[in-house]
Amino acid sequence: MKTIALIFSGVLVFSLYSCNNDEETINEPIGDDGVELTYNFESDEEGWDAALAEFPIDDEDLYEFEVEHTTSPLNDEEGALLLSASNPNGNLFMYVSKQISGLQPSTQYQVSYNLDLITRVIIDTTNVGTDTTGIVTDTTGIVTDTTGIANDTTDLDGDNGDLFVTLNDTVVIKAGAVSEEPVTETNTSNFLELIGIDIGEPGADGFDLVVIGSFAAESTDAGYTQQTVSTDTPISVVTNEDGDLWLLVGTETFGTETEIYFNSINVVIDR
């Protein structure tokens, strides 16, 4: 039988696990069926840290990044972890992470996710310059042609099981696990990036994070949309020498304003 640990208000139901504000400790070896951890954000962030990455550090104030424990916009009796930001430069990457301790050192594990989230993405199309209108009109045909290509690759997608992200997708959800704490650093181009973590190009898998879902947003003042996304196959990770790993969930958005509410994050860690 799979071991399940449900977490409410940062307190674990079973004594096989312990939790403080920032990390989850698994005190017993994981059996053949793995361990399941569920975070419902009923009263607080439950140890998940949130941050913004992959943007010019000089523009930091323009992003208006905020993190808040709040209630779900669709049900005020449910808690949620909210990430919100403006997006002046096209692609925005927000992420949450949590440390898991007490695993076997330098050991490979398989991590699976199921996420329940609510999104609100606004796309501002009012800033298209008059001089470029002709260019946009000309490229419309090109976009139409590539839509056909996207349709063809969707059929290929059914054969190989890989998630194909089309040009119309404005929210991309990525998930993974890493053996070191996620930290950001400014590179020589004054760009704030995650160090030692490959999140992939926009809309594509990386070595450490893979795309687990994507969907389109309205090009107006859109309302809230609830989404459930999950991993098709488990994600492999090797713990560090202390038996730690970090869960990592990121969202890429291409809208002007973005709100991401995490209603719940369900994780299964297996051998």
Side-chain angles (χ1 to χ4, degrees):
M1 178 180 296
K2 181 180 295 181
T3 303
I4 300 176
L6 294 178
I7 302 167
F8 300 97
S9 303
V11 178
L12 287 158
V13 174
F14 300 121
S15 61
L16 295 178
Y17 314 93
S18 59
C19 177
N20 62 27
N21 251 358
D22 297 318
E23 72 180 69
E24 193 82 37
T25 300
I26 298 176
N27 298 319
E28 296 289 338
I30 291 180
D32 293 338
D33 293 326
V35 60
E36 183 174 349
L37 306 172
T38 299
Y39 305 90
N40 290 315
F41 305 109
E42 287 301 321
S43 61
D44 58 30
E45 298 87 351
E46 298 190 9
W48 287 82
D49 297 318
L52 193 66
E54 310 300 317
F55 68 94
I57 192 64
D58 291 340
D59 295 339
E60 184 174 9
D61 291 342
L62 300 178
Y63 285 88
E64 300 177 332
F65 180 58
E66 294 184 3
V67 181
E68 179 185 2
H69 175 264
T70 184
T71 57
S72 165
L74 300 183
N75 185 344
D76 59 11
E77 295 184 356
E78 295 181 351
L81 179 60
L82 168 63
L83 278 64
S84 65
S86 298
N87 185 9
N89 290 315
N91 178 34
L92 179 67
F93 185 78
M94 300 184 289
Y95 69 92
V96 293
S97 63
K98 183 174 178 64
Q99 182 179 0
I100 304 295
S101 301
L103 302 171
Q104 294 297 310
S106 305
T107 301
Q108 186 176 58
Y109 288 87
Q110 308 297 319
V111 179
S112 301
Y113 287 91
N114 184 275
L115 311 177
D116 181 16
L117 48 87
I118 295 171
T119 61
R120 180 173 180 264
V121 180
I122 300 174
I123 303 172
D124 184 3
T125 59
T126 62
N127 293 325
V128 179
T130 304
D131 293 339
T132 61
T133 302
I135 298 175
V136 173
T137 301
D138 291 341
T139 57
T140 301
I142 298 174
V143 173
T144 301
D145 292 341
T146 56
T147 301
I149 296 173
N151 288 337
D152 292 340
T153 54
T154 300
D155 293 334
L156 294 175
D157 173 52
D159 294 332
N160 61 24
D162 293 332
L163 179 63
F164 182 77
V165 178
T166 72
L167 296 177
N168 292 325
D169 289 324
T170 52
V171 179
V172 178
I173 310 299
K174 294 183 176 182
V178 294
S179 60
E180 299 297 334
E181 182 177 5
V183 294
T184 56
E185 184 176 292
T186 305
N187 64 17
T188 55
S189 299
N190 227 22
F191 201 78
L192 191 70
E193 60 183 2
L194 280 164
I195 301 301
I197 299 176
D198 181 4
I199 66 173
E201 295 298 320
D205 291 349
F207 181 81
D208 298 303
L209 267 68
V210 298
V211 177
I212 65 171
S214 65
F215 44 91
E218 300 293 335
S219 58
T220 59
D221 190 355
Y224 294 101
T225 303
Q226 190 161 8
Q227 306 284 341
T228 300
V229 295
S230 58
T231 46
D232 291 331
T233 57
I235 301 165
S236 295
V237 61
V238 176
T239 55
N240 63 21
E241 61 184 11
D242 296 320
D244 301 332
L245 63 80
W246 277 261
L247 305 174
L248 186 60
V249 178
T251 63
E252 290 176 341
T253 63
F254 305 94
T256 307
E257 298 177 24
T258 301
E259 296 176 4
I260 305 288
Y261 293 81
F262 289 96
N263 277 359
S264 68
I265 299 177
N266 180 270
V267 183
V268 175
I269 303 175
D270 204 352
R271 289 290 298 272

